[in-house]
Amino acid sequence: MACSFNTLANDLYVNFKGYHTPQGQLSQFNALYVTQGKVVETGKAKQLVKKYAKANVIDLDGKTMLPGLIDGHGHVAGLGLNLQRISLRNSPSEQASAEAVAKFASENPDLARIRGRGWNQVLWKSKSFPTKESLNEKVSNRPVWLRRVDGHAGWANSKALELAGITRHTVSPAGGEIVKDAQGEPTGVLIDNAMDLLESHIPQQSEQELRHAILQASAHLLKLGITSVHDAGIGLSTYKVYRALAQEKQLPFRAYAMISAASSSYHEMLNNGHVVTDDGMLNISSVKISADGALGSRGAAMLQPYSDDAQNSGLLLYSPADLEKQMGLAIGKGFQTNLHAIGDKANHLALNYYEKFNKHDASRALRHRIEHAQIVAVDDLPRFKALDVLPSMQPTHATSDMNMAQDRVGHARIKGAYAWKTLLDSGVKIVSGSDFPVEYANPFYGLHAAVSRQDRHNMPKQGWLTHEAMTLTQALNSFTLDAAYGAHQEKIIGSLEPGKWADFIVTDINIFEVPSSQIWQTTVEQTYVAGKLVYSK
């Protein structure tokens, strides 16, 4: 249930085991004093009970306290909307997916169109992209549109293709592909920019619908212990909703929202300048630009062809000149630039342009980021530190991709993939997140993957490429203080140091005392934002 109480109270929390990472080093405490929503002091209970004798004492019954966790890359409205659509995340086959769609359609007869997400052909026995025929057999009278788990491909039935005017004669756009069969007919799968051909015919959500989606997502996130999200790419409607919620003091979590360069209102939002609220609940001072697609759909831009598809090197969503122009526009307006780059070519181009822009101290000070930084040429890894570019990475991507990543890029290139320890050892700060709803939002899944390099079945038994695993302290730091650093917020959140907002969580499991295999099982019992109890189990 959601709860709240007076944030002006002088509260002293005792009887818990607390952990945070000031200056990146693990520190423990068992008492926390909060007033006016901010941390006054952490330390030992015996000392603080005497020092703050008039405080309201709150006993946490021996539980564990951590700073509020920060997801450094998620999609809030997407998560909220996904909670209202069909999920195919665990579907074992194309046929099972089509049957699930049919069941969902029959249970929702009033929906004009069927939408969903989560299918992943890599997990199917066939390993093949699905086709419109399997959907047509189940639902033919309403358009069906299902995004792949990574959001970089979609699967449509014939009705959806018809409404979008996509035929055998439709040409694939730059940065996208209409997958066609041997006879030249669209199969129903659209990759990256080709998805726009269909999605441009889907009515946009109203601001009221987006507001509901954001609030629905926030309840889900707070339950998981996430108190701050770097929302990776918002359009004008979401921008307006965030501003309204912040003005009304109704924004339940801290949002560090990135303006989407793909938005038709990109220039308008940039020209509005930075939006930063005094209570730290909303910060809009960065942009999101997507350079390439995703690995699973072979849309990630590679320097050399895919190891399992010799005719394909992936897709750049912008020409190199246009990419540089988009980056320069944002940087010129004083916005941090966060570039989605998954393939080694996209990462190489990003680093080249950051090298050019960061010759100027004003640009370097913006702490530009590369979102995902999944497949990086080994020679490019040291450039992150040299250029003061932050990798914003998602630990569960490694454990989700491990069943196909090496097939895609081969033995040599995998050495630069999901290279967390190599980057940390170079002195780089990693901003960790989940990329929800591509992955589950649960940050304890990410902490587990970061230290074990295993899935939640603890497979493979010895872990995958474990030489790149993080320590638990490094992992916690990447989901707290360094994630805050990636948003220029390390002075106000990310650890429970004096003067910072009192964002913290109480958990049933002490992640520092259980085997790493159990970290993902952690349940959040309470979540606090600015000293206010916003979730209680």
Side-chain angles (χ1 to χ4, degrees):
M1 64 178 179
C3 307
S4 65
F5 58 78
N6 184 5
T7 61
L8 299 181
N10 300 316
D11 296 318
L12 177 61
Y13 298 85
V14 298
N15 191 18
F16 63 85
K17 292 184 178 180
Y19 303 85
H20 64 159
T21 57
Q23 289 78 53
Q25 303 300 312
L26 188 66
S27 177
Q28 300 183 43
F29 55 97
N30 62 16
L32 170 71
Y33 181 57
V34 174
T35 187
Q36 295 186 338
K38 292 188 175 182
V39 176
V40 177
E41 189 172 356
T42 61
K44 295 182 178 180
K46 288 183 179 180
Q47 297 172 351
L48 297 194
V49 167
K50 292 180 181 179
K51 186 172 182 178
Y52 303 106
K54 295 182 179 181
N56 174 41
V57 177
I58 300 171
D59 190 315
L60 294 180
D61 196 28
K63 303 297 183 180
T64 298
M65 179 186 290
L66 301 172
L69 297 172
I70 301 171
D71 193 305
H73 185 111
H75 305 276
V76 177
L79 173 62
L81 293 170
N82 264 27
L83 293 172
Q84 305 167 22
R85 297 172 182 168
I86 182 171
S87 173
L88 300 173
R89 186 183 294 273
N90 297 314
S91 187
S93 67
E94 177 180 352
Q95 187 61 29
S97 298
E99 290 172 358
V101 168
K103 183 174 184 292
F104 180 84
S106 66
E107 293 171 349
N108 295 274
D110 297 331
L111 288 178
R113 62 188 70 244
I114 306 301
R115 299 183 68 181
R117 184 166 179 163
W119 60 272
N120 184 356
Q121 85 286 356
V122 174
L123 302 179
W124 301 344
K125 185 176 180 179
S126 69
K127 306 291 185 185
S128 300
F129 276 141
T131 66
K132 61 189 178 186
E133 281 75 21
S134 56
L135 291 178
N136 293 342
E137 290 176 8
K138 302 296 182 180
V139 183
S140 60
N141 61 338
R142 283 185 279 175
V144 178
W145 176 239
L146 310 164
R147 279 207 169 204
R148 192 180 183 276
V149 64
D150 58 17
H152 285 270
W155 173 24
N157 68 351
S158 291
K159 187 70 172 178
L161 294 174
E162 176 188 337
L163 291 175
I166 297 173
T167 70
R168 64 181 296 118
H169 303 295
T170 308
V171 177
S172 294
E177 181 184 358
I178 302 169
V179 178
K180 297 181 179 180
D181 61 22
Q183 288 71 46
E185 290 290 337
T187 66
V189 171
L190 309 176
I191 298 175
D192 286 314
N193 286 355
M195 295 189 295
D196 295 340
L197 300 176
L198 187 147
E199 292 186 340
S200 63
H201 293 269
I202 299 175
Q204 293 296 306
Q205 289 83 21
S206 67
E207 288 181 21
Q208 188 60 37
E209 288 171 326
L210 284 173
R211 182 187 180 103
H212 178 70
I214 288 170
L215 292 175
Q216 189 170 359
S218 71
H220 181 74
L221 296 168
L222 292 170
K223 181 178 180 179
L224 297 174
I226 296 171
T227 56
S228 178
V229 175
H230 301 178
D231 197 343
I234 63 167
L236 183 61
S237 294
T238 304
Y239 176 92
K240 289 180 177 179
V241 171
Y242 269 137
R243 295 194 68 169
L245 286 170
Q247 185 174 6
E248 297 162 13
K249 304 295 184 183
Q250 294 297 313
L251 191 56
F253 62 95
R254 300 188 191 278
Y256 183 75
M258 310 174 196
I259 295 170
S260 172
S263 170
S264 60
S265 302
Y266 179 50
H267 293 264
E268 176 184 345
M269 291 184 282
L270 276 183
N271 288 335
N272 287 341
H274 293 184
V275 178
V276 183
T277 60
D278 292 339
D279 59 5
M281 297 304 293
L282 179 63
N283 185 315
I284 305 176
S285 58
S286 64
V287 304
K288 161 76 177 303
I289 305 173
S290 290
D292 67 346
L295 195 64
S297 52
R298 297 188 185 85
M302 304 300 296
L303 292 167
Q304 299 296 327
Y306 280 88
S307 298
D308 58 358
D309 186 353
Q311 305 305 311
N312 183 10
S313 297
L315 299 164
L316 284 174
L317 303 186
Y318 295 92
S319 70
D322 284 344
L323 179 61
E324 181 181 8
K325 180 180 178 181
Q326 291 282 16
M327 295 171 70
L329 179 64
I331 293 168
K333 296 285 187 178
F335 279 72
Q336 178 194 56
T337 302
N338 304 327
L339 199 71
H340 163 118
I342 289 181
D344 57 7
K345 181 176 182 177
N347 278 281
H348 184 72
L349 281 174
L351 290 166
N352 285 351
Y353 292 135
Y354 283 138
E355 183 171 10
K356 179 177 180 179
F357 289 120
N358 281 4
K359 289 178 180 177
H360 304 283
D361 290 343
S363 175
R364 189 177 286 259
L366 292 173
R367 301 180 187 173
H368 302 303
R369 296 166 33 168
I370 293 182
E371 305 300 305
H372 310 307
Q374 279 182 227
I375 314 296
V376 181
V378 172
D379 290 345
D380 277 336
L381 289 171
R383 299 178 69 196
F384 283 84
K385 175 61 177 175
L387 298 172
D388 288 330
V389 172
L390 297 172
S392 170
M393 307 177 79
Q394 299 74 45
T396 53
H397 276 345
T399 51
S400 292
D401 293 353
M402 63 186 178
N403 59 347
M404 60 83 180
Q406 190 158 333
D407 291 340
R408 292 283 192 273
V409 304
H411 177 73
R413 288 183 290 189
I414 204 70
K415 294 178 181 177
Y418 317 93
W420 312 326
K421 188 173 187 300
T422 297
L423 287 164
L424 287 169
D425 286 349
S426 73
V428 165
K429 298 178 187 296
I430 291 180
V431 177
S432 278
S434 67
D435 199 12
F436 66 76
V438 174
E439 301 280 353
Y440 289 111
N442 192 324
F444 292 96
Y445 293 179
L447 288 165
H448 168 257
V451 301
S452 70
R453 306 279 293 205
Q454 294 175 314
D455 64 20
R456 292 183 299 282
H457 299 290
N458 297 311
M459 295 299 292
K461 290 184 178 180
Q462 303 304 317
W464 184 62
L465 304 177
T466 53
H467 63 282
E468 291 290 1
M470 298 187 199
T471 67
L472 184 52
T473 296
Q474 289 172 332
L476 178 63
N477 191 54
S478 73
F479 275 97
T480 53
L481 189 59
D482 282 358
Y485 181 88
H488 296 266
Q489 294 176 324
E490 75 279 7
K491 292 183 179 179
I492 62 169
I493 58 173
S495 62
L496 295 170
E497 297 174 83
K500 293 188 177 184
W501 290 109
D503 298 355
F504 60 94
I505 61 175
V506 179
T507 67
D508 64 336
I509 287 178
N510 185 331
I511 60 173
F512 286 94
E513 292 184 352
V514 298
S516 61
S517 61
Q518 296 178 22
I519 291 172
W520 68 270
Q521 299 173 15
T522 302
T523 297
V524 174
E525 299 199 344
Q526 295 177 340
T527 301
Y528 295 78
V529 175
K532 181 190 294 184
L533 182 63
V534 293
Y535 167 76
S536 181
K537 185 178 177 182

